[in-house]
Amino acid sequence: MSQKIEKPILSGQRIKTRKRDEKEKYDPMGFRDAILLGLEKAGGSIAQDGDKPVKTTACVFEQSEDMESMRNFEQVFIKLMRRYKYLEKMFEEEMKKVLVFMKGFTPKERIKLARMTALWISNGSVPPTVLSVLINEHLVKDNLALDFLLEVFVTWRQEKGLPSLMTALKKGNIEGRLMEFVPPNKRTEEYFRSVFEAVGLADIVKLHKAQASQEAKRDLQQLLLDDLADSRPMKDIILDLKEMAQRSGIPEHEVIGLIWVVVMGQAEWNKKEELVADQALKHLKVYTPLFDAFTTTARSELALILKVQEFCYENMNFMKVFQKIVLLFYKTDVISEEVILKWYKEGHSIKGKMLFLDQMKKFVEWLQNAEEESESGEEED
């Protein structure tokens, strides 16, 4: 019976592994315990399945409502996201979920959240677009969306100033959607104005009006384009535009400028300077009834001349056509001699000033002489 021979063993020598070659043992349970231990030391906690909801004391809602406490807690988030950059995108997505869950918070918690949201948006931690998630039927209907938005705006104005707030509203494309935060049964201009002015946000009302006005102007131009595309009779087009202008509160001197832009956009202009004059006069003559309908005041007439001046200055081929267009409008009673004289003396724009004044010089002298002869004749009579 053979005996098992023991193999020789080296003693007195240890083989070290390099640190880079060492591998961590896969230990999910240990990793979990380490996380829980860290949270426990930091003052936080985790709600396990089946447990009652648990809230950590290291929480926005546990802070007092004063802005000093809010600002101190703001720094916690700033430092965390500076250290862990991947949290930035996560924070934006989580904020959207939190805001949609607005009903789950108490009134005091909503105020604290609104104030922190104002700080987070103004310091760039989250984009202003997160506020758009508040335009949710169940939040808007119960006035939660509007109340939250007002608290955010008031805090922002106090902390960063009104210009910063205005810039953020435009950046987040919220300036044109402010009325959507108002409950449907209260969605009137009067109610909107009253609630915003009540908290000192009259400038937001002005911004809203300006935005609404811009949208109304675009709608008016689109209406004119549609009517022209449908070849509607000029009298019907005029009626449509007057009704919309009145309904939207667009003054006549602004309407005439909108009409000019649409009309001049209807033609493909000749690139040859010597041919564009005849083309322009022939084109504009068709629309003189339309221009005449919206130049019932001296202010509207002057606004039209200035639009013509601006257009001719910005389009090189039209630089020599200015006087001919003005003469066409004068002969068709779209603009009066009094307004032409006013434009010449003091109402002109600086764009191409000397060139256009020189073009109009002989015509203006003729108007002045005609006016003097008329006055002289009246005195003799």
Side-chain angles (χ1 to χ4, degrees), residues 130-260:
V130 297
L131 293 174
S132 61
V133 302
L134 294 171
I135 305 175
N136 186 297
E137 185 179 353
H138 75 281
L139 296 178
V140 173
K141 182 182 66 175
D142 295 336
N143 221 76
L144 296 178
L146 182 59
D147 287 343
F148 189 89
L149 189 74
L150 290 172
E151 188 64 42
V152 169
F153 285 0
V154 169
T155 303
W156 195 320
R157 183 197 59 193
Q158 293 172 347
E159 295 295 308
K160 303 293 183 178
L162 195 61
S164 171
L165 174 57
M166 297 293 199
T167 301
L169 292 180
K170 293 177 181 178
K171 185 178 178 181
N173 294 320
I174 298 173
E175 59 174 342
R177 305 189 67 187
L178 293 176
M179 188 63 84
E180 295 180 48
F181 289 85
V182 180
N185 60 335
K186 300 178 181 178
R187 203 166 286 176
T188 65
E189 293 294 332
E190 180 59 30
Y191 180 78
F192 182 92
R193 181 188 63 78
S194 65
V195 292
F196 275 84
E197 289 185 352
V199 293
L201 293 171
D203 287 294
I204 299 294
V205 178
K206 294 178 183 177
L207 177 68
H208 168 70
K209 285 184 177 179
Q211 181 67 23
S213 176
Q214 286 300 112
E215 291 179 4
K217 290 174 184 178
R218 287 193 290 268
D219 290 343
L220 187 140
Q221 286 185 308
Q222 188 58 52
L223 175 63
L224 177 54
L225 285 168
D226 292 341
D227 280 358
L228 293 175
D230 294 339
S231 301
R232 298 197 68 194
M234 191 60 71
K235 63 178 182 178
D236 292 340
I237 293 177
I238 292 170
L239 183 61
D240 286 348
L241 295 182
K242 282 189 176 291
E243 287 180 353
M244 176 173 278
Q246 184 176 9
R247 185 171 63 251
S248 304
I250 308 174
E252 186 184 80
H253 67 273
E254 293 183 10
V255 174
I256 195 66
L258 300 172
I259 292 173
W260 169 265

Side-chain angles (χ1 to χ4, degrees), residues 207-381:
L207 177 68
H208 168 70
K209 285 184 177 179
Q211 181 67 23
S213 176
Q214 286 300 112
E215 291 179 4
K217 290 174 184 178
R218 287 193 290 268
D219 290 343
L220 187 140
Q221 286 185 308
Q222 188 58 52
L223 175 63
L224 177 54
L225 285 168
D226 292 341
D227 280 358
L228 293 175
D230 294 339
S231 301
R232 298 197 68 194
M234 191 60 71
K235 63 178 182 178
D236 292 340
I237 293 177
I238 292 170
L239 183 61
D240 286 348
L241 295 182
K242 282 189 176 291
E243 287 180 353
M244 176 173 278
Q246 184 176 9
R247 185 171 63 251
S248 304
I250 308 174
E252 186 184 80
H253 67 273
E254 293 183 10
V255 174
I256 195 66
L258 300 172
I259 292 173
W260 169 265
V261 172
V262 172
V263 167
M264 296 306 284
Q266 292 297 295
E268 292 185 11
W269 301 108
N270 201 301
K271 290 183 169 38
K272 295 183 179 179
E273 188 177 346
E274 62 274 13
L275 299 177
V276 79
D278 290 339
Q279 182 190 7
L281 296 178
K282 184 177 179 181
H283 177 74
L284 288 171
K285 195 169 184 178
V286 176
Y287 296 97
T288 51
L290 179 59
F291 288 114
D292 184 51
F294 290 91
T295 49
T296 63
T297 66
R299 186 176 183 181
S300 301
E301 291 180 31
L302 184 59
L304 177 58
I305 299 179
L306 289 172
K307 274 294 180 181
V308 177
Q309 180 182 351
E310 180 182 312
F311 182 87
C312 292
Y313 175 78
E314 294 174 353
N315 296 272
M316 292 295 293
N317 290 346
F318 282 81
M319 293 291 274
K320 296 180 181 179
V321 188
F322 175 75
Q323 186 265 354
K324 294 179 180 180
I325 295 175
V326 174
L327 184 59
L328 170 67
F329 284 150
Y330 171 73
K331 288 181 176 179
T332 53
D333 293 325
V334 174
I335 52 178
S336 63
E337 61 183 81
E338 291 83 10
V339 173
I340 293 174
L341 293 174
K342 182 179 180 180
W343 170 88
Y344 188 82
K345 293 175 183 177
E346 59 185 11
H348 47 262
S349 166
I350 61 171
K351 294 182 178 180
K353 172 183 172 181
M354 298 311 298
L355 173 65
F356 297 134
L357 289 179
D358 186 60
Q359 279 186 32
M360 294 293 293
K361 185 177 180 181
K362 290 184 178 179
F363 181 54
V364 166
E365 288 176 352
W366 178 82
L367 287 177
Q368 290 172 332
N369 291 334
E371 188 176 3
E372 290 172 3
E373 290 176 4
S374 177
E375 290 176 356
S376 176
E378 288 177 1
E379 289 176 2
E380 290 177 2
D381 290 341

